[in-house]
């Protein structure tokens, strides 16, 4: 478990303290995939680097399994850091060393001298990330996705319990991003690793995270289970990430709704209700007509969800709403 208690961070720039993170509390549970999303400069990397104390907080405490990281001496800190792996946007591989040597590097750094043990462990790690055939290549001979897999193998070398990912897929194309995220999800499941990942893409959060915090100019403006944040964003910044709509587009949408007759609702389906015919049943039983204005059916991690914007017309729209609610569908009224 990672706990931030009243942590804040300022950088000293030209003799002045410039705040990067306002005081915050946050708990990340063992075994979860926790996402931190925010625009460039929001403080994401700073927050992530506080976890392994690559940055020291200006105040507050960072506890990992109840060990206060800020109170450790150098030797104890090095030992704790071995339990925390990290991967980076630009991979940070050693260009003059082979894939196998890049992965062996943290093992040697941790004091392993037994060449056979290193070979065995490296082979195991390369198999885990699907790069068995590439051990003797150099980073320049690999694709971006393969380089990040080397980065992941290297990060896992010393069997960490936490993996930090700093924009790990931001330099990759969408398909490669999906396969790297799938690998991270698998590692989380099978090795029970806690993963903290930062990103500026909501799609990354949607695919792998259990919970998410939204960071805006050094402030955590919202956090919670991904489905809650995704389906019911509260803060304008979160809206921007979820809707990917510009505020003026959202305003135009609202104006358009005013022209459409009837009550306008947004329905959210989660899990199994996504596949049940609850909507047609409720409408048939109450004699209400509906028109679909917008919609999306997708997945949050492995949970299916749907969101539909409907205009309702009919005598008893209240009864239709009650029937939908009874079927476990969440309803927001966009126009009465
Ligand atoms: N080493 C540093 N020295 C001074 N300012 C920094 C340093 N690192 C980051 N900052 C500033 O702190 C803020 C947050 O940066 P960062 O954590 O890198 O944001 P993000 O990762 O969300 O893009 C930015 O305003 C950035 O300029
Ligand atoms: Mg960053």
């Amino acid at each position: 478990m990672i706990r931030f208690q009243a942590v804040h961070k300022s950088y000293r720039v030209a003799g002045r303290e410039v705040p990067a993170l306002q005081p915050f509390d946050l708990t990340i549970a063992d075994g979860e995939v926790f996402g931190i999303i925010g625009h460039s400069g929001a403080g994401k990397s700073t927050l992530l680097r506080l976890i392994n104390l690559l940055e020291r907080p200006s105040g507050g405490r960072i506890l990992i399994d109840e060990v206060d990281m800020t109170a450790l001496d150098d030797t104890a800190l090095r030992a704790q850091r071995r339990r925390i792996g990290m991967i980076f946007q630009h991979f940070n591989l050693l260009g003059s060393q082979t894939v196998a040597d890049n992965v062996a590097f943290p093992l040697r750094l941790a004091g392993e001298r037994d060449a056979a043990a290193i070979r065995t462990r490296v082979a195991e790690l390369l198999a885990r990330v699907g790069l068995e055939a590439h051990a003797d290549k150099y980073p320049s001979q690999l694709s971006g996705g393969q380089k990040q897999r080397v980065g992941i193998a290297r990060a896992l070398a010393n069997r960490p319990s936490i993996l930090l990912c700093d924009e790990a897929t931001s330099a990759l194309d969408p398909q490669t991003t999906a396969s790297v995220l799938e690998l991270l999800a698998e590692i989380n499941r099978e090795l029970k690793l806690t993963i903290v990942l930062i990103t500026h893409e909501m799609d990354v959060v949607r695919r792998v995270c259990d919970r998410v915090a939204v960071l805006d100019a050094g402030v955590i403006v919202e956090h919670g289970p991904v489905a809650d944040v995704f389906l019911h964003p509260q803060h304008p910044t979160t809206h921007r990430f979820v809707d990917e709509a510009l505020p003026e587009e959202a305003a135009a949408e609202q104006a358009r709704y005013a022209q459409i007759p009837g009550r306008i609702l947004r329905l959210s389906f989660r899990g199994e209700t996504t596949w049940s015919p609850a909507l047609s049943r409720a409408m048939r039983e109450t004699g209400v007509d509906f028109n679909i204005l917008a919609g999306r059916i997708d997945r949050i991690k492995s949970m299916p969800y749907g969101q539909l914007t409907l205009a309702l017309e009919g005598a008893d729209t209240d009864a239709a709403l009650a029937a939908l609610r009874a079927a476990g569908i969440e309803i927001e009224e966009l126009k009465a």
Side-chain angles (χ1 to χ4, degrees):
M1 191 163 82
I2 306 166
R3 270 203 296 161
F4 295 87
Q5 291 180 333
V7 171
H8 58 102
K9 172 72 183 176
S10 301
Y11 289 106
R12 198 158 184 84
V13 182
R16 239 165 37 88
E17 292 290 316
V18 181
L21 288 173
Q22 302 294 334
F24 69 98
D25 294 293
L26 187 69
T27 300
I28 297 172
D30 274 342
E32 75 175 332
V33 183
F34 193 93
I36 296 161
I37 190 167
H39 295 296
S40 180
K44 304 182 297 296
S45 294
T46 301
L47 198 159
L48 198 71
R49 292 160 65 86
L50 286 169
I51 295 173
N52 54 8
L53 242 61
L54 285 179
E55 297 291 350
R56 284 212 160 251
S58 306
R61 301 202 305 163
I62 295 143
L63 303 164
I64 297 183
D65 294 336
E66 303 306 318
V67 174
D68 184 350
M69 296 291 284
T70 52
L72 300 177
D73 62 27
D74 285 352
T75 314
L77 181 58
R78 262 199 303 279
Q80 277 290 325
R81 274 190 183 144
R82 222 161 278 147
R83 303 181 47 221
I84 307 174
M86 190 163 183
I87 58 174
F88 307 88
Q89 179 172 4
H90 297 295
F91 324 121
N92 296 16
L93 303 178
L94 301 166
S96 63
Q97 304 214 353
T98 64
V99 165
D101 283 334
N102 267 280
V103 176
F105 186 75
L107 297 171
R108 297 198 170 106
L109 206 61
E112 181 62 75
R113 292 287 170 268
D114 181 341
I118 291 177
R119 248 194 327 274
T120 307
R121 180 70 183 137
V122 167
E124 215 172 83
L125 288 158
L126 290 180
R128 153 76 54 199
V129 301
L131 291 182
E132 302 93 321
H134 302 277
D136 298 325
K137 288 190 178 165
Y138 288 87
S140 62
Q141 298 171 297
L142 301 178
S143 69
Q146 291 170 331
K147 284 182 200 167
Q148 194 56 289
R149 285 170 187 269
V150 178
I152 292 170
R154 182 184 56 185
L156 296 178
N158 287 316
R159 306 180 193 279
S161 52
I162 298 170
L163 179 63
L164 308 178
C165 311
D166 191 340
E167 302 269 5
T169 56
S170 297
L172 306 176
D173 63 71
Q175 217 174 336
T176 310
T177 292
S179 78
V180 168
L181 293 177
E182 183 44 51
L183 175 61
L184 291 177
E186 186 184 298
I187 286 167
N188 165 253
R189 270 196 316 272
E190 293 174 9
L191 304 180
K192 314 270 182 258
L193 224 74
T194 306
I195 297 183
V196 186
L197 70 81
I198 65 179
T199 180
H200 61 274
E201 291 173 288
M202 200 61 188
D203 210 46
V204 168
V205 171
R206 184 177 67 75
R207 280 172 188 274
V208 287
C209 294
D210 299 302
R211 289 195 302 143
V212 61
V214 182
L215 196 58
D216 185 50
V219 179
I220 295 175
V221 293
E222 193 165 342
H223 69 97
V226 172
D228 292 346
V229 172
F230 206 82
L231 295 174
H232 305 293
Q234 303 297 320
H235 191 272
T237 298
T238 318
H239 265 283
R240 291 287 294 255
F241 281 118
V242 171
D243 304 339
E244 286 155 12
L246 301 169
E248 50 272 28
E249 288 170 351
E253 189 77 356
Q254 284 297 323
R256 201 160 63 82
Y257 289 163
Q259 309 301 315
I260 298 170
R263 245 168 130 169
I264 299 184
L265 313 170
R266 180 161 51 223
L267 311 186
S268 301
F269 310 78
R270 300 190 197 199
E272 289 310 307
T273 53
T274 310
W275 312 127
S276 81
L279 175 60
S280 73
R281 208 168 278 153
M283 297 301 149
R284 191 175 61 242
E285 284 168 3
T286 57
V288 169
D289 286 314
F290 68 95
N291 178 25
I292 300 175
L293 304 176
R296 172 176 194 175
I297 294 174
D298 215 324
R299 277 174 189 276
I300 295 172
K301 213 164 176 182
S302 61
M303 181 193 76
Y305 78 95
Q307 217 160 30
L308 286 179
T309 304
L310 302 180
L312 298 191
E313 280 184 75
D316 205 355
T317 54
D318 279 340
L321 257 66
L324 291 169
R325 286 209 174 92
I329 295 167
E330 296 159 43
I331 302 176
E332 291 158 274
E333 187 131 13
L334 304 182
K335 182 179 143 249

